[in-house]
Amino acid sequence: MNYVDGFVIAVPTAQKEVYLRHASTAAEVFKDVGALELVECWGDDVPEGKVTSFPMAVQRKDDETVVFSWITWPSKAVRDDGMKKFMADPRIQQMKEMPFDGQRMIFGGFQVILEKK
């Protein structure tokens, strides 16, 4: 089964186009280093919670939108190697600041245990 990296971030709503350009460049690099797919989702129905929620998890501010994304890899080994190559890629090295607060990003790697298509 595949391996998935998942991410949840808060992006300034006014910076949507800047974020999309940033994500498009990153997606191109991820594909070049072995990723099968990269999906970016701009939140439009992301409710506030009382105990937990996406907005609470990323400490979303009033002028921000929650973004949920994932990268699918053929295996964890390809992902581990791909991440090293991604970080060393000149296209990533040349990027200026991220268009979001990386300290509030939630991320993790996941083994796929069930997939229905």
Side-chain angles (χ1 to χ4, degrees):
M1 290 242 174
N2 294 334
Y3 194 81
V4 174
D5 279 314
F7 307 88
V8 181
I9 57 175
V11 176
T13 304
Q15 296 291 313
K16 182 177 182 180
E17 292 306 316
V18 173
Y19 177 76
L20 189 54
R21 285 192 302 272
H22 177 91
S24 293
T25 298
E28 183 179 303
V29 177
F30 277 123
K31 292 284 287 179
D32 288 350
V33 299
L36 300 172
E37 174 185 52
L38 187 129
V39 178
E40 295 282 346
C41 304
W42 191 260
D44 82 345
D45 186 13
V46 186
E48 294 286 342
K50 292 184 180 180
V51 178
T52 63
S53 68
F54 283 122
M56 291 170 68
V58 296
Q59 300 173 10
R60 185 188 59 81
K61 298 174 184 171
D62 291 340
D63 63 344
E64 294 177 326
T65 298
V66 173
V67 173
F68 174 62
S69 61
W70 66 91
I71 306 167
T72 304
W73 302 89
S75 68
K76 186 174 189 301
V78 172
R79 176 265 209 164
D80 291 347
D81 185 54
M83 281 296 195
K84 289 176 190 170
K85 290 176 181 174
F86 175 86
M87 296 306 288
D89 191 283
R91 292 168 288 182
I92 300 306
Q93 296 291 321
Q94 293 172 1
M95 282 185 167
K96 306 270 187 220
E97 295 180 19
M98 291 185 290
F100 59 89
D101 181 356
Q103 292 182 334
R104 293 185 284 141
M105 176 172 53
I106 297 171
F107 60 92
F110 300 85
Q111 294 177 354
V112 176
I113 61 171
L114 176 68
E115 184 174 36
K116 296 275 185 180
K117 290 188 178 189

